[in-house]
Amino acid sequence: MNPTSTPSHQPPRTWEAVVLEKHTLSSTGFALSFERKGLQFEAGQLVNVNLPGHPPTDERSYTICSGTGDPYLQILFRYMPEGSLTPDLSRLTAGDRIIVTGPMGEFTIRDRTRPCIFVATGTGIAPARAYLRSQAVDQLTLVHGVRKAEDLFYRDEFSTGSYISCVSSEPGGDLQGRVTDWLAGFSLPDRATYHLCGANEMIYEVRDSLLSRGVAQDAIVTEAYYYRSDD
Ligand SMILES: Cc1cc2nc3c(=O)[nH]c(=O)nc-3n(C[C@H](O)[C@H](O)[C@H](O)COP(=O)(O)OP(=O)(O)OC[C@H]3O[C@@H](n4cnc5c(N)ncnc54)[C@H](O)[C@@H]3O)c2cc1C
């Protein structure tokens, strides 16, 4: 289930990292900063994470949401009450240890001169934050869809650029609705690439809509995190 390929010049390795800080971002959203141990990666790549004492099958993938220039690594995750890993991840505190394998993944910027339209649901915003902090692309437009406004993670960091928040179940965003509602009224720029990340239903819906509007298949890159449609 977890990705094993990497375009990076550095092959994946496994290390035990000390947790530096756990950040509470909302009632179910957390970020975890931990030791980088010299890891080189490209913005958009991920690490697999597990905890000492958990079986290997509990290892889960998380996009690195810190920048390539940051001295630590950070991941963003949502606490899933029935999940195997996130309940214990959310209980970590500074000084605890986690098992990290990386870098992996190919959800990276291929041509920084092409405008990047990034459409995310929920924690799918993580790679966009890595692009932003790493200055990986010249022009980034982020469309972030969430159910509750409290889950507009890193909102302040994005608000200086092109940022559209879509909150589906309450007021509090630029639009009350879903990312697909916003995209329907958006005129697609020339030469743009589309990065879609988060719930797989959103990814299919947005990809089909873009293809029907004439966007080339190779201008759309996707990273599915989970199978839910209520963001
Ligand atoms: C390539 C890749 C990258 C990923 N990057 C991230 C990331 O940066 N941040 C992140 O939070 N998750 C990410 N995920 C999902 C992550 O790997 C775990 O599945 C998630 O954290 C839940 O783990 P768990 O063991 O607690 O629950 P699981 O037993 O894995 O899942 C329990 C339920 O939660 C749903 N679910 C899983 N993840 C989410 C989510 N983020 N939001 C809402 N529902 C979810 C699942 O569909 C399932 O129904 C990524 C997944 C993949 C495949």
Side-chain angles (χ1 to χ4, degrees):
M1 151 178 151
N2 289 326
T4 53
S5 66
T6 172
S8 164
H9 49 277
Q10 193 180 66
R13 61 184 164 93
T14 299
W15 74 100
E16 206 173 83
V18 173
V19 172
L20 304 172
E21 194 172 353
K22 186 185 72 196
H23 318 259
T24 301
L25 305 182
S26 73
S27 54
T28 57
F30 299 93
L32 204 64
S33 300
F34 50 90
E35 287 180 309
R36 179 168 174 169
K37 294 272 177 80
L39 185 83
Q40 297 299 313
F41 66 97
E42 287 179 55
Q45 286 197 290
L46 58 85
V47 289
N48 287 343
V49 172
N50 205 346
L51 292 171
H54 277 246
T57 49
D58 283 355
E59 182 180 72
R60 296 286 184 269
S61 299
Y62 296 95
T63 304
I64 300 165
C65 70
S66 45
T68 51
D70 289 324
Y72 54 85
L73 297 180
Q74 188 175 119
I75 58 170
L76 167 70
F77 67 94
R78 185 188 295 289
Y79 163 76
M80 304 301 301
E82 311 297 331
S84 306
L85 194 68
T86 54
D88 282 346
L89 273 189
S90 65
R91 281 191 275 271
L92 292 173
T93 56
D96 288 338
R97 286 169 188 275
I98 62 175
I99 301 157
V100 184
T101 301
M104 285 175 267
E106 301 178 10
F107 196 61
T108 53
I109 297 289
R110 286 143 205 193
D111 179 350
R112 63 169 301 129
T113 67
R114 296 178 68 174
C116 174
I117 313 296
F118 195 109
V119 185
T121 50
T123 52
I125 192 179
R129 188 186 185 243
Y131 298 162
L132 183 76
R133 281 187 81 82
S134 309
Q135 300 180 333
V137 62
D138 295 342
Q139 200 183 322
L140 176 66
T141 299
L142 172 65
V143 190
H144 190 201
V146 294
R147 210 149 44 88
K148 295 185 185 170
E150 66 161 357
D151 290 330
L152 292 171
F153 309 121
Y154 305 117
R155 179 184 205 163
D156 294 346
E157 298 181 22
F158 283 102
S159 58
T160 52
S162 296
Y163 171 74
I164 302 97
S165 54
C166 304
V167 181
S168 60
S169 70
E170 61 186 25
D174 298 312
L175 176 93
Q176 186 168 355
R178 300 178 64 229
V179 291
T180 42
D181 301 325
W182 186 84
L183 274 169
F186 175 61
S187 70
L188 308 178
D190 289 342
R191 290 189 73 246
T193 60
Y194 297 84
H195 289 229
L196 318 179
C197 188
N200 77 331
E201 292 93 337
M202 176 280 285
I203 289 172
Y204 289 136
E205 207 178 321
V206 171
R207 190 184 58 189
D208 288 350
S209 160
L210 292 172
L211 290 173
S212 74
R213 293 171 71 183
V215 174
Q217 183 113 33
D218 65 4
I220 305 171
V221 275
T222 66
E223 186 96 290
Y225 280 6
Y226 55 94
Y227 299 85
R228 275 187 15 181
S229 58
D230 57 356
D231 278 316

